[in-house]
Every structure is written in structure tokens, then in C-alpha cells.
Amino acid sequence: MADNRLNAFIPTLIRRGGVFLFLACIALFSVSHSQAAEPRQSPSDQEKARTVYIFHQPIVMLQAKFGLSTPEERVLRIRNTLRSLSEEDMRHPVQILPVQRYGQQGRLFVINGKPLMLLAESDLDEGDDLTLDQAAQRVLARFNAQRTSLIDQYSSSYLTLATVKVLAGTAVLILLYYLAFRSWSRVKAYFTARILLKKGWIPYRWRSLLGAVEVHAYALLMILLSIVAFYLWLSWLFRLYPWTRVWGESLGDWSVNVIQRIALAIVSAFPGLLIVAIIFLLTAFILKLLKILLRRVETRKLQVPGLHPETVGATRKLISVMVWLFALSAAYPFLPGANSLAFKGVSVFFGLMLTLGSAGVMNHAMSGLVLIYSRALRKGDVIRIGDNEGLVSEIGMLATKIITRESYVVTVPNAVVVSGKITNLSAQNPGGGVNLTTGVTIGYDTPWRQVHAMLELAASRTQGIDPQHKPLVRQLSLMDWYIAYELQVHLRAGESLAAVRTELHSHIQDVFNEFNVQIMSPNFVNQPENAVMVTKDNWYAAPASPPKTPK
């Protein structure tokens, strides 16, 4: 309100030559409900509204009501009187005349014979312990001090000196900006050279991520100092001229208040931050102990009922998440601003996002926990899920990854894995090879014992099959035209299932061709006159070529 009145009065002040005003005097006349003639050192908003200000300086606080004139109307009359003063009036000192008004003693302030304001006994505050004359003398001293300062500062010599100071201060500010830029350039060159020499307090391998962090930190410091310097220069410039002094003082008061609030907020936050630090340190210590315990379980040095080495990793993650969530819940009330509307709004926002977006994620996450704790599969197992068969490379919280025989990485959501059938080909041989099965159909005219022998011979010729495990041949069914045989072999550890299957199928075809036995996998309506097979002479028909025999 004070600034608006000042802005409205500045044109009048300039038109009248600048001086006569006291009036422009600026200021902030309003009413409050405090009972005092003396301005308060730390006034409330109501007390500020009641205080008469000249150039942002408090003069007197009014409270008395005379007849039908309220304190508000008294302030308005004082303001109008000040605005009506001329330059000649301002050159006369303010005087006090004792008067008797409204049945009580009063002191009338006049300037060049024109009344300014009335200070009555009812305007005094008993807490000030002042007589009416003492209070009037203090008000008089403030009036005359501002009047004399106003006249001096509107003189041509003062304004000329103020302008020279502004030019000098502006030159100093520009010089400071130039020096700040030059210093930043030198710092940049210095640290660039040190980085090229692989020197500095930041490890060189982190530079690809952090870059020249020292240069950026110094640039930020220079920018902050430049802003502070500009703020101080602007406040100082406003204080030099009478018609902008109130702005300069407002800037100064605002910055002081901001610094005070920040300092008080930081100091008041220390106890809470200390409690938060203690909570987090205790949490880290507890998790450290749990990590040591779970590591012993993982290495089978310690057995805990219900906890298996395969599930230790997931258990550690779950416990860490729950413990940290509990610690955050316990520390939240002690965080600075935890009870503010901003914190509450952010909490509601994240809660809403989690509620709307976590349905599908939680379904897959819980399915992942089912896979881990049921131990249906582990990393490194060879499994078959639907049409996908391969090596399990990762069991995540949301999806399982399988490397197929084509070296493709298939990502299957955990909810899909749990809802379908999982065939684990290596569950019975942890750390070893897997079982490989394949089938052929042979006609009834071939002795089954011969078929068994030929399948076992083909298995013995295949690389990658563990000879310590004897091949197993089964007769699965007796069909209309043929018998279905199944061969099961055991692979060595680390062998590729797809590669061994390919080689085994090749040897089965070769062995059956060698002994003139027809494989009946193709279905025939009538029995062909001759056996459908490939003679040994045609095994390497063009463009195939026989393998080179070692010398």
C-alpha cells in the first residue's frame, strides 16, 4: 500500500520541484488497533498499518477517537495536509503548540503556521512511560529530522553527488562482472589441463559422467555472487535518491527478513535432521548384519528353516525394501517441511500414481516371487515354456529372460510364466547336463531289438553325450503302420542342447541307412515296394562333400 501511494505521488513531487514534500512524504498512513504513541521496534501488521511513516521511517502511532473522527480519518487528514504543503513551508521548522481539545490536553504540530497533526493524551500508551510533552518532543524530533534530510537531499549539489556515485558504483559493478568472467575462464583452463593430465580429486573414470564438475561449480558460484552484487547495487542506488529511497529500504528489509527466515529454518531443522540421520544409520547397520547372515545362508555355511540358498537374493531385496520403507515412515515426521501443504500434495500425487499404475506391475512382481520361492526354476536351468525352449539367463521381479537355441533373448512376463506350464529339463541335474529325448517311427517288419541297438549306436557316435549315462530306449506306442520309439540320452555339463540334438539326428539317419532300415515318419497309405531310405553311396550327393579323413 505504501509503494502504491508513493508511485501516485511521485509525479506531483517532480512537478513541484521536488522539495516541498514531506508530503510526498510518502508514506504509509493507516490505522491499527494498538494503543501507543511510540512506534514499535518489531511491529505487527496491524501496528504497521496504524503508524505514520515518512520515507519508510516511523514517526508516530495514533489511537484516539475525537468526536465522530476515527483514527483512520485523522490519518487521512494528516496525509492531505502534508500533500498541500509548499516548498516554502518545508523550509520552516515544525513547532509544537499546547492546546486543550475534547476535554483533554493536546499538542498541536504546526509548520509555517499551518497545523499538521494533533497528539492527545489518549494517544499515549501507559507502557511507554512517557508524558505528553516527552512524547511530543520525540515526534517533533522525527518530523524535523526527516524534513531537514528531505531538503538536503533535494538540493542540486546532493543530487549531482548522488549521480556521480551511481556512475562510479555502476563502473565497479561492471568491473566485478568482468573479473568474475576472467576468473572463471582461468579456472576452466586450469581444470581442463588437470583433467587431460588425469589429475584431480575426482577419479578419472568418473569424468565421463560428471565432466568438469569443478568448473560448473565455480560458474554457479560466480552467478550467485553476481546476482547478490546486482541486488546490493540496486538497493544502494535506490537509497541515494529521495523519491526511490523507500524502495531501497524495502529491498534491504526484504533481504534481511529472507536471510533471517532461512537461518531460523536451518537452525530449527537441525534436531529433526539429527534424528533422521540416526534412524538411517541404525537402518544401514541392521541391513549390514542381515546381509552377513544371508550371505552365510547363500554359501551354505548356515541353515535357516524355510530359507534356501536359491531364494536368498530375493529375500535380501525384500527385507531391504521393507526395512527402508519402515525407516522412511519413522523419519518422515522429522523431515523439514513434512507437515507443509507441499509435502502433503506430493504424497497424495505419488500415492495416486502408485495406485493407478501398480496393478499390472504388482501382478508380475508377485508372480516373480512365486517363481523364486517355489524354486520352479533357477538361473542357468534349461526350460521349456510354451514354444520357447532355452537357458534361463535372468529371473527378474517382473519378467524372466530365456536364451533360445537361435541365441535369441525371449522375455516372458512372470505372470505368463506362472499361468502356464514350465518344463524344467535340468531340475534333476543341478550343475550338470540335461536329458535329451528324440523319437523315430519304425515299421513292424524291423525287429525292435535291432532298433534299440541302432539308436544306442547313434548315441555313442554323438559328441556331447555323457557316456557314463547309458542311453535309454522306450517303445511309446504301437501305431497302425509303425512303432514309435523314444531315445533318451544325457548331455555333458555345458553342452548346447540344440547342437547335440542336431548331431544326434544326423547319426540316427546314417545308422538306419547303413542297416537298410526305413524310418516310417512319413505316413504311407500303401506299403511301398522298396524301402524308402538313402544308400551309403548317396550320403554325400552334391552339393554335400564327405569329411576329410585324417592322415
Side-chain angles (χ1 to χ4, degrees):
M1 181 174 65
D3 291 343
N4 293 336
R5 293 174 178 174
L6 178 63
N7 292 336
F9 181 65
I10 286 176
T12 304
L13 178 65
I14 295 175
R15 287 198 303 269
R16 296 194 180 184
V19 180
F20 63 97
L21 279 166
F22 221 18
L23 52 226
C25 214
I26 316 49
L28 321 163
F29 302 90
S30 4
V31 185
S32 88
H33 301 288
S34 137
Q35 298 181 357
E38 283 295 294
R40 293 293 184 236
Q41 294 296 324
S42 299
S44 64
D45 292 339
Q46 290 181 341
E47 290 170 339
K48 288 182 179 179
R50 189 76 178 276
T51 303
V52 176
Y53 288 92
I54 297 177
F55 281 135
H56 211 57
Q57 297 297 322
I59 303 300
V60 66
M61 296 178 65
L62 301 179
Q63 179 267 339
K65 178 180 178 182
F66 298 142
L68 298 178
S69 297
T70 63
E72 293 87 346
E73 292 174 340
R74 293 177 62 195
V75 170
L76 291 175
R77 290 173 183 173
I78 295 171
R79 182 182 63 185
N80 293 332
T81 300
L82 291 173
R83 286 185 173 179
S84 65
L85 296 177
S86 65
E87 183 176 353
E88 179 63 25
D89 294 332
M90 292 300 299
R91 298 193 178 279
H92 291 79
V94 179
Q95 297 176 338
I96 301 176
L97 299 178
V99 295
Q100 183 78 21
R101 298 286 175 84
Y102 307 106
Q104 58 180 311
Q105 292 292 327
R107 297 295 180 265
L108 181 64
F109 293 83
V110 297
I111 182 170
N112 196 21
K114 297 179 180 180
L116 290 178
M117 62 169 286
L118 175 66
L119 182 66
E121 289 182 341
S122 55
D123 284 317
L124 302 182
D125 185 2
E126 294 180 358
D128 291 334
D129 196 20
L130 295 175
T131 65
L132 180 60
D133 289 331
Q134 290 173 334
Q137 289 298 325
R138 292 192 178 189
V139 174
L140 177 65
R142 297 188 189 108
F143 265 127
N144 280 324
Q146 295 301 319
R147 182 187 63 84
T148 303
S149 176
L150 184 66
I151 293 175
D152 292 342
Q153 293 178 16
Y154 273 107
S155 64
S156 300
S157 59
Y158 178 85
L159 295 177
T160 302
L161 180 61
T163 304
V164 173
K165 290 180 178 180
V166 168
L167 296 176
T170 304
V172 171
L173 181 66
I174 295 174
L175 178 62
L176 289 177
Y177 282 172
Y178 174 75
L179 293 176
F181 177 77
R182 291 287 297 175
S183 65
W184 174 76
S185 301
R186 289 177 177 270
V187 169
K188 182 179 180 181
Y190 172 75
F191 280 104
T192 300
R194 287 183 63 85
I195 292 172
L196 292 177
L197 296 175
K198 298 184 179 181
K199 295 181 179 180
W201 59 277
I202 297 179
Y204 188 77
R205 61 180 179 275
W206 293 359
R207 288 295 182 181
S208 58
L209 177 63
L210 299 178
V213 63
E214 301 93 344
V215 177
H216 299 313
Y218 187 81
L220 179 61
L221 176 62
M222 290 297 101
I223 291 174
L224 293 177
L225 292 179
S226 298
I227 294 175
V228 171
F230 178 79
Y231 183 89
L232 295 175
W233 171 84
L234 187 63
S235 177
W236 172 76
L237 183 147
F238 284 158
R239 289 171 183 264
L240 290 177
Y241 295 97
W243 50 83
T244 59
R245 176 168 299 165
V246 64
W247 298 344
E249 293 176 349
S250 298
L251 286 175
D253 293 342
W254 178 83
S255 61
V256 171
N257 291 334
V258 169
I259 294 174
Q260 287 179 346
R261 287 198 297 267
I262 293 175
L264 290 175
I266 293 174
V267 172
S268 61
F270 277 149
L273 292 176
L274 181 60
I275 295 176
V276 171
I278 293 174
I279 292 174
F280 286 167
L281 287 175
L282 289 176
T283 302
F285 178 73
I286 293 172
L287 290 178
K288 185 69 174 179
L289 294 179
L290 288 174
K291 183 178 180 181
I292 295 174
L293 175 64
L294 294 176
R295 185 177 296 171
R296 292 179 64 85
V297 175
E298 189 175 18
T299 56
R300 303 182 186 274
K301 294 180 181 179
L302 178 66
Q303 293 184 352
V304 177
L307 188 59
H308 304 280
E310 298 86 356
T311 62
V312 166
T315 303
R316 181 167 56 244
K317 294 178 182 178
L318 286 176
I319 293 177
S320 298
V321 170
M322 289 188 294
V323 171
W324 278 115
L325 287 177
F326 177 79
L328 185 60
S329 301
Y332 179 82
F334 301 100
L335 293 174
N339 295 324
S340 64
L341 295 177
F343 258 77
K344 294 178 182 179
V346 171
S347 301
V348 172
F349 175 73
F350 279 106
L352 183 61
M353 288 185 60
L354 185 63
T355 302
L356 296 177
S358 64
V361 174
M362 290 303 297
N363 183 24
H364 294 304
M366 296 305 296
S367 299
L369 294 178
V370 171
L371 288 176
I372 294 172
Y373 283 99
S374 65
R375 295 185 293 166
L377 50 88
R378 298 172 300 177
K379 182 179 179 180
D381 285 351
V382 179
I383 65 171
R384 184 183 298 120
I385 301 176
D387 297 333
N388 300 305
E389 179 183 277
L391 182 71
V392 177
S393 62
E394 180 182 345
I395 304 176
M397 291 298 296
L398 302 179
T400 299
K401 294 185 178 181
I402 303 172
I403 301 177
T404 65
R405 62 176 178 270
E406 299 92 348
S407 295
Y408 297 157
V409 177
V410 179
T411 302
V412 185
N414 286 334
V416 176
V417 177
V418 172
S419 62
K421 182 179 71 173
I422 304 173
T423 303
N424 195 325
L425 305 179
S426 59
Q428 298 297 324
N429 304 287
V434 300
N435 291 329
L436 169 62
T437 58
T438 187
V440 292
T441 53
I442 307 299
Y444 285 96
D445 56 343
T446 304
W448 65 265
R449 294 175 180 84
Q450 183 184 17
V451 175
H452 282 220
M454 287 190 294
L455 290 175
E456 293 172 356
L457 178 60
S460 65
R461 293 181 180 180
T462 303
Q463 301 293 327
I465 294 178
D466 190 354
Q468 296 181 358
H469 293 76
K470 185 177 179 181
L472 178 61
V473 181
R474 302 184 183 93
Q475 298 184 35
L476 299 181
S477 61
L478 304 177
M479 309 299 290
D480 292 340
W481 304 98
Y482 45 73
I483 302 171
Y485 295 90
E486 181 185 71
L487 171 63
Q488 177 179 316
V489 294
H490 186 80
L491 275 61
R492 295 192 184 99
E495 292 290 341
S496 172
L497 185 65
V500 175
R501 180 188 287 119
T502 299
E503 184 179 355
L504 177 61
H505 287 170
S506 301
H507 288 300
I508 288 175
Q509 295 177 68
D510 290 345
V511 169
F512 276 73
N513 285 330
E514 287 179 10
F515 292 95
N516 297 322
V517 176
Q518 176 182 338
I519 297 177
M520 299 290 292
S521 293
N523 292 323
F524 299 100
V525 176
N526 296 319
Q527 180 70 20
E529 296 180 358
N530 299 317
V532 179
M533 59 184 181
V534 179
T535 61
K536 190 173 183 178
D537 295 338
N538 294 325
W539 280 5
Y540 300 104
S545 59
K548 297 180 180 180
T549 57
K551 296 181 180 180

